[in-house]
Amino acid sequence: MAKKAIITGINGQDGSYLAELLLDKGYKVYGIIRRSSIESTDKTRNIEHIIDKVHLSTCSLENSLAVYKLFASIQPDECYHLAATSFVSYSLEDDLSIMMNNFTATHNILLSVIEACPKCRVYFAGSSEIFGDVNVSPQNEKTSYNPRSVYGISKLSSHQLIKNYRKQYGIYACTGFTYNHESPRRGCAFVTRKITSAAASIALERASYIDLGNIDAARDWGYAPEYVRAMQLMLNAEIPKDYVIATGKLHTVRELLETAFNVVGLDYRNHIRIKKEFIRPAEEVALVGDSTEIYKDLGWKARAKFEEIIQEMVENDLRILRMEQNKA
Ligand code: G4F
């Protein structure tokens, strides 16, 4: 019988790639999205091509009864909990809602699994942000947690709940500490897509400048379609374990600019402006992950090259802009 998987946040970058992967593997895929998202083509763009193949339900993950009823009726074998406020904000006004939404959703899902379908395996989308202000590099599963944003704190508290309930209730639940992972489906607020879409706009003479924060900031950037494979492997292992999912390689925003603008034959230095509002608190030690453990246990390794990911993103942004131009 086909396995049934629930994906929260199926319409996001990771959710959409994961849905494709699971459909290819013969799963029945159930996607949970917010009611407001189903009414917006903008928010379902990533799953347009598979919308007839997946079962979509609208549900607020903060509503415990609604979540429970969904899990009780679907009786899933696996649940990939990817939905979250995912932009790392440093604004005081956003803090409480980020914390409440992210933590409550995880709690409601775990509660529903324990009560309605205790055999269901749960993947929780953690983040490198839980390591935060680190003093070791690279980080691995044994590195101490020290989040520097409320987003990181919300991910850490959810992860602690995963660990706690795994032990207390014997459920199969685990966390993937994913580092930044990108693709043409990345939202435009994240720096990779912000730069690739700006490079395309500037090349087509639709814009002249891009406004950025600290371009010497460095990140461990991987390829989203590969990261969702790690998630599926984690739920199909012998025992539930938490893993770091990363490339182990650091690149700066400056290198990202160089790579993206090279694709369109331009010099980024003529097209950037540094703006205070995009500068975040400085990081002393950069976040870069060591994925030896998941390679040893499950054979997963990041393979895509940084330059190839950025090139694919720029080419996709050029294609989108040209299509819009042809329509106008
Ligand atoms: O693309 P970013 O906004 O990603 P960030 O904050 O690292 O978060 C992403 O990765 C985390 C780890 O996987 C996830 F937990 C999280 O959900 C999200 O997916 O920023 C990347 C870097 C930062 O160092 C930032 O300071 O780019 C730097 N940056 C410089 N100028 C900028 C800008 N970031 C943004 N968004 N916009 C700028 O203008």
Side-chain angles (χ1 to χ4, degrees):
M1 215 168 49
K3 275 193 186 175
K4 291 185 276 184
I6 287 184
I7 305 176
T8 71
I10 190 172
N11 50 330
Q13 168 186 262
D14 295 0
S16 61
Y17 284 121
L18 179 64
E20 286 171 16
L21 176 79
L22 298 183
L23 286 170
D24 276 354
K25 289 187 176 293
Y27 282 64
K28 263 177 120 170
V29 175
Y30 297 79
I32 303 186
I33 61 179
R34 288 192 177 275
R35 187 170 300 281
S36 55
S37 299
I38 208 154
E39 285 149 9
S40 149
T41 47
D42 243 19
K43 292 196 173 145
T44 50
R45 182 160 298 135
N46 290 337
I47 49 170
E48 243 166 39
H49 60 296
I50 50 169
I51 209 134
D52 296 335
K53 299 186 183 142
V54 298
H55 307 264
L56 284 187
S57 303
T58 56
C59 171
S60 159
L61 295 175
E62 290 95 60
N63 179 339
S64 59
L65 183 60
V67 176
Y68 172 82
K69 281 184 177 167
L70 255 178
F71 277 74
S73 68
I74 296 170
Q75 289 292 317
D77 300 288
E78 295 172 14
C79 168
Y80 297 85
H81 176 34
L82 312 182
T85 303
S86 65
F87 193 69
V88 182
S89 164
Y90 289 91
S91 140
L92 257 181
E93 289 125 70
D94 294 339
D95 284 357
L96 186 64
S97 69
I98 292 175
M99 189 65 207
M100 297 305 283
N101 295 351
N102 289 355
F103 183 78
T104 310
T106 311
H107 179 260
N108 287 343
I109 286 170
L110 292 175
L111 181 77
S112 302
V113 165
I114 292 162
E115 292 294 328
C117 43
K119 293 228 155 18
C120 173
R121 296 181 166 203
V122 181
Y123 171 86
F124 170 62
S127 165
S128 57
E129 286 294 316
I130 71 160
F131 298 122
D133 272 326
V134 277
N135 50 20
V136 286
S137 178
Q139 301 83 44
N140 64 23
E141 293 77 6
K142 296 195 174 73
T143 303
S144 330
Y145 310 132
N146 194 16
R148 63 187 158 205
S149 62
V150 167
Y151 169 81
I153 296 173
S154 78
K155 288 288 179 180
L156 175 56
S157 54
S158 290
H159 165 60
Q160 299 286 23
L161 205 60
I162 293 272
K163 258 173 60 177
N164 191 277
Y165 285 3
R166 177 165 75 207
K167 196 159 177 208
Q168 204 172 331
Y169 298 101
I171 56 170
Y172 189 113
C174 49
T175 301
F177 305 119
T178 45
Y179 283 61
N180 300 48
H181 45 289
E182 316 298 312
S183 78
R185 297 184 195 168
R186 192 55 146 151
C188 287
F190 296 96
V191 79
T192 48
R193 187 77 195 285
K194 184 171 171 182
I195 289 175
T196 62
S197 60
S201 298
I202 295 168
L204 298 182
E205 296 180 350
R206 300 275 205 88
S208 309
Y209 294 101
I210 173 172
D211 295 336
L212 288 165
N214 178 8
I215 65 169
D216 291 314
R219 282 286 183 274
D220 176 335
W221 278 295
Y223 190 44
E226 291 187 333
Y227 284 39
V228 302
R229 273 201 309 106
M231 300 173 191
Q232 197 266 345
L233 287 172
M234 283 173 64
L235 285 201
N236 286 274
E238 272 173 33
I239 48 162
K241 254 178 94 171
D242 311 313
Y243 291 106
V244 161
I245 304 172
T247 70
K249 296 191 179 86
L250 269 182
H251 293 275
T252 59
V253 175
R254 195 185 289 279
E255 286 172 70
L256 172 51
L257 280 161
E258 257 161 20
T259 311
F261 279 75
N262 271 346
V263 176
V264 292
L266 292 173
D267 184 339
Y268 78 88
R269 287 171 298 185
N270 300 326
H271 301 283
I272 62 160
R273 294 185 300 209
I274 303 302
K275 291 278 158 110
K276 254 201 339 250
E277 65 258 39
F278 296 116
I279 296 183
R280 302 199 193 154
E283 291 144 15
E284 272 166 37
V285 179
L287 288 173
V288 56
D290 170 5
S291 278
T292 307
E293 195 71 7
I294 190 168
Y295 182 60
K296 241 176 32 203
D297 290 355
L298 309 176
W300 184 89
K301 194 178 182 163
R303 294 185 192 275
K305 295 205 162 50
F306 172 73
E307 292 75 16
E308 291 165 358
I309 305 168
I310 302 307
Q311 176 163 355
E312 184 188 340
M313 292 175 71
V314 175
E315 284 167 356
N316 176 69
D317 283 316
L318 285 168
R319 197 165 39 244
I320 294 173
L321 284 178
R322 288 192 180 117
M323 256 161 46
E324 281 171 13
Q325 241 162 13
N326 291 341
K327 270 193 212 151

